[in-house]
Amino acid sequence: MNLTINRELTPRAEKRRKEVIAAALRVFSKVGYANAKIDDVSEESGAAKGTVYLYFDGKEELFKAVLRETMLPVLEEVEGMVFEPNASAADRLRAQFEFFYSRVMKEERRQVMRLVIAEGPNFPEVKEFYFNTILLRALTAIRATIDFGIERGEFRKPEGEFYTKAVMGSAILASVWKTVFDDFLPLDTEAFAQTHIDLVLNGLRVRE
Amino acid sequence: MNLTINRELTPRAEKRRKEVIAAALRVFSKVGYANAKIDDVSEESGAAKGTVYLYFDGKEELFKAVLRETMLPVLEEVEGMVFEPNASAADRLRAQFEFFYSRVMKEERRQVMRLVIAEGPNFPEVKEFYFNTILLRALTAIRATIDFGIERGEFRKPEGEFYTKAVMGSAILASVWKTVFDDFLPLDTEAFAQTHIDLVLNGLRVRE
Amino acid sequence: MNLTINRELTPRAEKRRKEVIAAALRVFSKVGYANAKIDDVSEESGAAKGTVYLYFDGKEELFKAVLRETMLPVLEEVEGMVFEPNASAADRLRAQFEFFYSRVMKEERRQVMRLVIAEGPNFPEVKEFYFNTILLRALTAIRATIDFGIERGEFRKPEGEFYTKAVMGSAILASVWKTVFDDFLPLDTEAFAQTHIDLVLNGLRVRE
Amino acid sequence: MNLTINRELTPRAEKRRKEVIAAALRVFSKVGYANAKIDDVSEESGAAKGTVYLYFDGKEELFKAVLRETMLPVLEEVEGMVFEPNASAADRLRAQFEFFYSRVMKEERRQVMRLVIAEGPNFPEVKEFYFNTILLRALTAIRATIDFGIERGEFRKPEGEFYTKAVMGSAILASVWKTVFDDFLPLDTEAFAQTHIDLVLNGLRVRE
DNA sequence: AATGAATGAGATTTCATTCAT
DNA sequence: CATGAATGAAATCTCATTCAT
């Protein structure tokens, strides 16, 4: 039985809970789900081991809570991923890319994406939640912009139906690269974003 | 200490060893490193648990051997990633993409990539091996083609220095998507590849 | 990493730890290091197997802790192995012998000596600790007494430099004998000690 | 079932068997019974693991065979531990000591004594065999000499009944020391023997 | 609410022994 | 006779979870 479900937490308890979540994210990000020990979370958060169990019904629930609550702010931002009313499709797409690279790919969130890739197969609920809540929504927003450009004749329609993913793909590479290979060959996110945008806008531009 | 290092294996032993590696790849791919039990590998391979330890110095060594030896065939293919002598840069790039999508992204190898992304942080050696042996080599081959196109005036030079990664990025997305999200929203690799190529070639083409 | 190192134990934990040490000494003494199972220690101590690992980083560390902490009281006694101020060298030596036979050779400590002899080669740290902490100190105390006797003309100086060991040697025999052969041919420690003292004092006495 | 019992070995087999015994003694001496792996014996001897089992019914039997057959030459020497017919008791005792230190305490045999001390409690048969075959016989020979000296008025009778052991004790110390502590503080066996003899002969000499 | 000592199921690992070749 | 690959019982060790304080 867990308080989370039964009743409101006192402000103090709420603070404790947040601290545990934050600590858990750090630990999971660093070593992955399986390698993370509840002891580590306990130590990292400053709470005793028993306290972790006071707020979460076990390791798996803690993991799911971490991902869920770490994604919420992202979700809110993605929601507000609006575009300038009087801007060209290119400007709108550029704005969305810049939003993605500057906000979504921040350290913490990159780690979440890696966790989803790494642990997804073992946690279908996590995968589904991430897919529906974040991924689909983001892709839909991007697609809306591209289709807007196509309709007004600014963009050509690329081959096939998967052009949104093909357009966004390199952002995934950037995210994975920074998480996994950055210590071998560092990637300048800023510069990479510019190249990516440059390539995509040229790729979508209509040919005379 | 392990026989692997000290001396040649008899053909029979070599066969056994290969069977264990193959079984282990299946198990690791399915459930990840931490979730894989030596018992599973033993059962999957038909060998007794002790036999696994006869050929590998423990779970970690087995994992590293699996990745190492599963990458070798990829490496050989990447090595042979040649191009037509009298073809345009666009044709060469198209050939390389098609090679990548049809060969490198096969089920088994996709799983390896996911394992590297997922477990890389916990296994620096694996990461380094994968980075140097596969990734760097593949990127170098692609870059050679793009630079060839730029030199002969067929391609424009994209902004920044990371254009190779920006060009290849979506292939990573495809790989990750198929491994993680394909059961929610399936991705037709063939069609995706065509869109990706279409977009990239247009993105690189010089503007009149 | 282990709590033992990082912080003070609560009194309750300290008590538990002591119980495990005591149980482990009994088990190791009875069957030797290699034959002792952590399960045995667990059962003997009344603590669960996991509890043993809570306090010690594995079997080897447990073993070393057992010897270390079992020797400490001996050390303290050896430290206090003082002599009567106005007594003859013979009286002092007799007192030291009697101390050794009655205190140091008690059941428990005899077992420790056997453990050191048996496992020493496999545990250099144990050997070194025992050597420096117990053996060297005891030999130094004995030597001081003999040299005192030589200086005041009460003892003759025996040949060579190893007379301290030669004087003490039979005590080792007694210890080993009682541990290994006592069930075949029992040794009366008390009586043996008297013979040993008698022989040594006569051996050291100056000839007219 | 084992050939040893059933029939004579061919000379070639006999040679093989001896090689295994010799290798096993080296291995057991180095790491003790429990730590010794049949694989080690196999490697050390040059014979395959299966071959070891061809000659011995398992690890325990091999251990017992090693001790038994390593002691036989000692036994023969102890048997011949005669004394000069027309010598004094002191000369006879001195001869016996010198015999002991120069012959019995050789490297190999010292190791056997340590093995008996270390593993004795776990191998009652070994202990008994060693006790009856070696120890008792040696003690009896020494005692005969001392009693001879007492009878002819050359030695005084020491207190108690354990004087033989008290007389021989330091030899045990020397043996143990060399095996266990020699790398910390080396013991010159030759010199130690002289001190031991000097001390004992003085200890036994009648007082005027 | 909070603690952290205690637990034990379940994992990894070892190695004496067997047996097909 | 000899081999060494294969086995699996038995050991060590891990860590999520519980619960008395």
Side-chain angles (χ1 to χ4, degrees):
Chain A
M1 209 112 2
N2 199 289
L3 295 177
T4 317
I5 290 153
N6 295 340
R7 53 158 139 153
E8 288 295 306
L9 295 176
T10 67
R12 180 177 156 220
E14 186 59 42
K15 185 161 161 283
R16 263 298 206 197
R17 192 178 181 282
K18 288 253 172 65
E19 285 165 2
V20 173
I21 290 257
L25 175 59
R26 283 191 297 274
V27 173
F28 286 132
S29 294
K30 198 171 171 191
V31 300
Y33 176 78
N35 249 10
K37 319 285 174 252
I38 297 293
D39 265 310
D40 300 341
V41 175
S42 154
E43 196 179 351
E44 176 81 23
S45 71
K49 194 156 39 160
T51 307
V52 176
Y53 279 85
L54 212 56
Y55 292 112
F56 305 95
D57 282 343
K59 190 181 175 182
E60 191 168 331
E61 290 308 314
L62 172 59
F63 183 63
K64 290 194 272 195
V66 165
L67 293 190
R68 212 181 308 118
E69 300 189 23
T70 308
M71 287 169 197
L72 284 183
V74 186
L75 177 59
E76 279 156 24
E77 291 223 57
V78 171
E79 295 279 57
M81 207 161 142
V82 287
F83 39 82
E84 289 296 310
N86 294 325
S88 67
D91 287 343
R92 290 178 182 189
L93 200 56
R94 189 187 306 274
Q96 287 178 316
F97 268 68
E98 272 163 1
F99 168 85
F100 185 88
Y101 275 102
S102 69
R103 295 274 218 297
V104 180
M105 261 189 53
K106 274 183 192 315
E107 171 71 16
E108 217 170 38
R109 289 166 190 164
R110 241 189 288 131
Q111 296 298 346
V112 171
M113 185 181 301
R114 202 194 111 237
L115 282 174
V116 172
I117 294 173
E119 312 293 348
N122 300 320
F123 296 91
E125 298 155 71
V126 163
K127 211 168 67 175
E128 184 172 5
F129 182 82
Y130 187 82
F131 180 77
N132 288 321
T133 305
I134 308 293
L135 223 52
L136 223 48
R137 226 178 276 240
L139 288 173
T140 304
I142 302 288
R143 168 160 221 138
T145 305
I146 299 175
D147 288 348
F148 166 70
I150 293 171
E151 263 168 51
R152 77 199 296 251
E154 187 182 341
F155 291 160
R156 66 185 186 83
K157 185 170 186 331
E159 274 183 34
E161 47 170 331
F162 297 118
Y163 49 85
T164 316
K165 292 185 200 76
V167 159
M168 288 303 289
S170 294
I172 303 296
L173 175 136
S175 170
V176 168
W177 189 283
K178 285 213 77 64
T179 323
V180 184
F181 299 115
D182 214 52
D183 44 346
F184 288 117
L185 194 58
L187 186 75
D188 176 341
T189 313
E190 208 68 18
F192 185 83
Q194 290 313 316
T195 306
H196 185 190
I197 292 170
D198 169 72
L199 215 54
V200 160
L201 288 183
N202 271 288
L204 286 172
R205 192 188 295 172
V206 288
R207 305 274 136 197
E208 306 79 54
Chain B
M1 212 135 335
N2 199 289
L3 294 178
T4 318
I5 291 153
N6 295 340
R7 54 157 123 173
E8 289 294 307
L9 293 177
T10 65
R12 180 182 164 205
E14 187 59 44
K15 186 162 161 278
R16 255 315 198 188
R17 193 179 181 282
K18 289 249 174 69
E19 285 165 2
V20 173
I21 290 257
L25 174 59
R26 266 171 273 142
V27 173
F28 285 132
S29 294
K30 198 170 173 190
V31 300
Y33 175 76
N35 257 5
K37 316 292 169 238
I38 296 293
D39 265 311
D40 302 340
V41 175
S42 153
E43 198 177 352
E44 177 81 23
S45 70
K49 204 170 5 169
T51 305
V52 177
Y53 282 88
L54 192 62
Y55 294 110
F56 306 96
D57 283 343
K59 190 180 172 182
E60 190 169 329
E61 290 307 314
L62 172 60
F63 183 64
K64 290 192 272 194
V66 165
L67 293 190
R68 212 182 310 121
E69 299 187 24
T70 308
M71 286 170 198
L72 286 184
V74 184
L75 176 59
E76 278 157 23
E77 292 226 53
V78 170
E79 294 280 56
M81 211 163 143
V82 288
F83 41 82
E84 286 298 308
N86 294 325
S88 67
D91 285 345
R92 289 179 182 189
L93 200 55
R94 187 187 308 275
Q96 288 179 316
F97 268 67
E98 272 162 3
F99 168 85
F100 186 88
Y101 276 102
S102 69
R103 295 273 217 299
V104 180
M105 261 187 54
K106 276 183 193 318
E107 169 68 17
E108 213 173 40
R109 289 161 190 174
R110 245 189 285 129
Q111 296 298 345
V112 172
M113 187 183 299
R114 201 194 113 241
L115 282 173
V116 172
I117 294 173
E119 312 293 349
N122 298 321
F123 297 92
E125 300 160 71
V126 162
K127 212 169 67 176
E128 182 172 5
F129 184 82
Y130 187 82
F131 179 77
N132 288 320
T133 305
I134 308 292
L135 221 52
L136 223 48
R137 228 178 273 243
L139 287 173
T140 305
I142 301 287
R143 167 158 224 140
T145 305
I146 298 176
D147 288 348
F148 165 72
I150 294 171
E151 264 169 51
R152 76 198 295 251
E154 187 182 340
F155 291 160
R156 68 187 184 83
K157 187 170 185 328
E159 274 184 34
E161 48 172 330
F162 298 119
Y163 48 85
T164 315
K165 295 187 197 75
V167 158
M168 288 304 289
S170 294
I172 302 295
L173 175 136
S175 170
V176 167
W177 190 283
K178 286 212 79 63
T179 321
V180 184
F181 299 116
D182 215 52
D183 46 346
F184 289 117
L185 193 59
L187 186 76
D188 176 342
T189 314
E190 207 67 22
F192 184 84
Q194 289 314 314
T195 306
H196 185 190
I197 293 170
D198 169 70
L199 214 56
V200 161
L201 288 183
N202 270 287
L204 286 173
R205 191 188 293 174
V206 288
R207 306 273 132 194
E208 302 81 52
Chain C
M1 214 133 336
N2 199 290
L3 294 177
T4 318
I5 291 153
N6 295 339
R7 54 158 122 171
E8 289 294 306
L9 293 178
T10 66
R12 180 182 163 206
E14 186 60 44
K15 187 164 159 277
R16 256 315 200 186
R17 191 179 182 283
K18 289 251 173 68
E19 284 165 3
V20 172
I21 290 257
L25 174 59
R26 264 169 274 140
V27 174
F28 285 132
S29 294
K30 197 170 172 192
V31 300
Y33 175 77
N35 257 6
K37 316 294 169 234
I38 297 294
D39 266 311
D40 300 340
V41 175
S42 154
E43 197 177 352
E44 176 81 23
S45 71
K49 201 172 6 171
T51 305
V52 177
Y53 283 89
L54 192 63
Y55 293 111
F56 306 95
D57 283 343
K59 190 180 173 183
E60 192 169 327
E61 290 307 314
L62 172 59
F63 183 63
K64 290 192 270 192
V66 165
L67 292 191
R68 211 181 310 119
E69 300 187 25
T70 307
M71 287 169 197
L72 286 183
V74 184
L75 175 60
E76 278 156 25
E77 291 225 56
V78 170
E79 295 279 58
M81 209 162 142
V82 288
F83 40 81
E84 287 296 310
N86 295 324
S88 67
D91 286 343
R92 290 178 181 189
L93 199 57
R94 187 187 308 274
Q96 287 178 317
F97 268 67
E98 270 161 6
F99 167 85
F100 185 89
Y101 275 101
S102 69
R103 294 275 216 298
V104 180
M105 261 189 51
K106 273 181 194 317
E107 172 68 18
E108 216 173 38
R109 289 165 188 169
R110 240 189 288 130
Q111 296 298 345
V112 171
M113 187 183 299
R114 201 194 113 240
L115 282 173
V116 172
I117 294 173
E119 312 292 348
N122 298 321
F123 296 92
E125 300 159 72
V126 162
K127 211 168 68 177
E128 184 172 4
F129 184 82
Y130 187 82
F131 179 77
N132 288 320
T133 306
I134 308 293
L135 222 52
L136 223 49
R137 230 177 272 243
L139 288 173
T140 305
I142 301 288
R143 168 160 222 136
T145 305
I146 298 175
D147 288 348
F148 166 72
I150 294 171
E151 264 168 51
R152 76 198 299 250
E154 186 182 342
F155 292 160
R156 67 184 185 86
K157 186 169 186 332
E159 275 185 35
E161 48 170 332
F162 298 119
Y163 49 85
T164 315
K165 293 186 199 77
V167 159
M168 287 304 289
S170 294
I172 301 296
L173 175 137
S175 171
V176 168
W177 189 284
K178 284 214 77 64
T179 322
V180 184
F181 299 116
D182 214 52
D183 44 347
F184 288 116
L185 193 60
L187 186 76
D188 176 342
T189 314
E190 207 69 18
F192 184 84
Q194 289 314 315
T195 305
H196 184 190
I197 293 169
D198 168 71
L199 215 54
V200 161
L201 288 183
N202 270 288
L204 286 173
R205 190 187 294 172
V206 289
R207 305 275 136 194
E208 308 79 57
Chain D
M1 208 113 5
N2 200 290
L3 297 177
T4 317
I5 291 152
N6 294 341
R7 53 158 140 152
E8 288 295 306
L9 294 176
T10 67
R12 180 177 157 219
E14 186 59 42
K15 185 162 161 280
R16 262 299 205 201
R17 192 176 182 283
K18 288 252 173 66
E19 283 165 4
V20 172
I21 291 257
L25 174 60
R26 283 191 297 273
V27 173
F28 285 131
S29 294
K30 197 171 172 191
V31 299
Y33 176 77
N35 249 9
K37 320 286 174 251
I38 296 294
D39 265 311
D40 300 340
V41 175
S42 153
E43 197 179 350
E44 176 82 23
S45 71
K49 196 159 32 161
T51 306
V52 176
Y53 279 85
L54 213 55
Y55 292 112
F56 305 95
D57 284 342
K59 191 181 174 183
E60 191 168 331
E61 290 308 315
L62 171 60
F63 183 63
K64 290 193 273 195
V66 165
L67 293 190
R68 212 180 310 117
E69 300 190 22
T70 308
M71 287 168 196
L72 285 184
V74 186
L75 177 60
E76 277 157 23
E77 293 224 54
V78 170
E79 295 279 54
M81 208 162 142
V82 288
F83 40 83
E84 287 297 308
N86 294 325
S88 67
D91 286 344
R92 289 178 182 190
L93 199 56
R94 185 186 309 273
Q96 285 178 317
F97 267 67
E98 272 162 2
F99 168 84
F100 185 88
Y101 275 100
S102 69
R103 295 275 218 297
V104 180
M105 261 188 55
K106 274 182 192 319
E107 170 69 17
E108 216 172 38
R109 289 163 190 170
R110 245 190 284 129
Q111 296 297 346
V112 171
M113 186 181 299
R114 201 195 112 239
L115 281 173
V116 172
I117 294 173
E119 313 292 350
N122 299 320
F123 296 92
E125 299 160 71
V126 162
K127 211 167 68 176
E128 183 172 3
F129 183 81
Y130 187 82
F131 181 77
N132 288 321
T133 306
I134 309 292
L135 221 54
L136 222 49
R137 227 178 276 241
L139 287 173
T140 304
I142 302 287
R143 169 160 220 137
T145 305
I146 298 176
D147 287 347
F148 165 72
I150 294 170
E151 263 169 51
R152 77 200 294 251
E154 186 182 341
F155 291 160
R156 66 185 186 83
K157 186 171 187 325
E159 275 184 34
E161 47 171 331
F162 298 118
Y163 49 86
T164 315
K165 294 187 198 74
V167 158
M168 288 304 289
S170 294
I172 302 296
L173 175 137
S175 170
V176 167
W177 189 283
K178 285 214 77 66
T179 321
V180 184
F181 299 115
D182 214 52
D183 44 348
F184 289 115
L185 194 60
L187 187 75
D188 176 342
T189 314
E190 207 69 18
F192 185 84
Q194 290 314 315
T195 306
H196 185 190
I197 292 169
D198 168 73
L199 215 55
V200 161
L201 289 183
N202 270 288
L204 285 173
R205 192 188 294 173
V206 287
R207 307 270 133 196
E208 303 81 54

